[in-house]
Amino acid sequence: MLLLDKNAEPNKTIFYLSAIVYGLILRGMTKIENIYLELQNEIEDNLNYEFFVLALDFLFLLDKIRVNSKGDIESVH
């Protein structure tokens, strides 16, 4: 879910997950698998992989991340 509604938990939104993912990338995490596992630890919940991919997509669309030639995620700026 991208936007908040009265039935959504704020920590389950793409906005929230994207913010955490971006923070992990800024701290130097580059491997997608490691980012996914650390995100699960951060939110202390089992996260659906599709929501993780949507968070990455969102950051990509905002031009905050890119995939380098090794297949790792990196910050654009």
Side-chain angles (χ1 to χ4, degrees):
M1 172 169 297
L2 187 59
L3 299 175
L4 288 175
D5 67 13
K6 65 181 178 181
N7 299 318
E9 298 176 45
N11 62 349
K12 302 283 185 175
T13 63
I14 301 303
F15 286 136
Y16 181 78
L17 297 174
S18 296
I20 294 175
V21 168
Y22 190 60
L24 294 173
I25 293 168
L26 290 178
R27 285 192 269 166
M29 298 191 87
T30 59
K31 301 285 185 199
I32 292 176
E33 299 85 10
N34 294 343
I35 295 170
Y36 179 64
L37 293 174
E38 185 61 30
L39 179 61
Q40 286 184 323
N41 289 337
E42 289 273 335
I43 64 171
E44 299 175 348
D45 197 1
N46 192 11
L47 177 67
N48 184 334
Y49 196 76
E50 290 178 20
F51 281 102
F52 172 64
V53 171
L54 287 172
L56 290 175
D57 289 345
F58 184 68
L59 290 171
F60 180 79
L61 290 171
L62 292 175
D63 197 31
K64 295 293 186 184
I65 63 171
R66 66 177 165 220
V67 179
N68 65 21
S69 60
K70 297 177 186 177
D72 296 336
I73 303 292
E74 61 185 20
S75 175
V76 171
H77 303 287

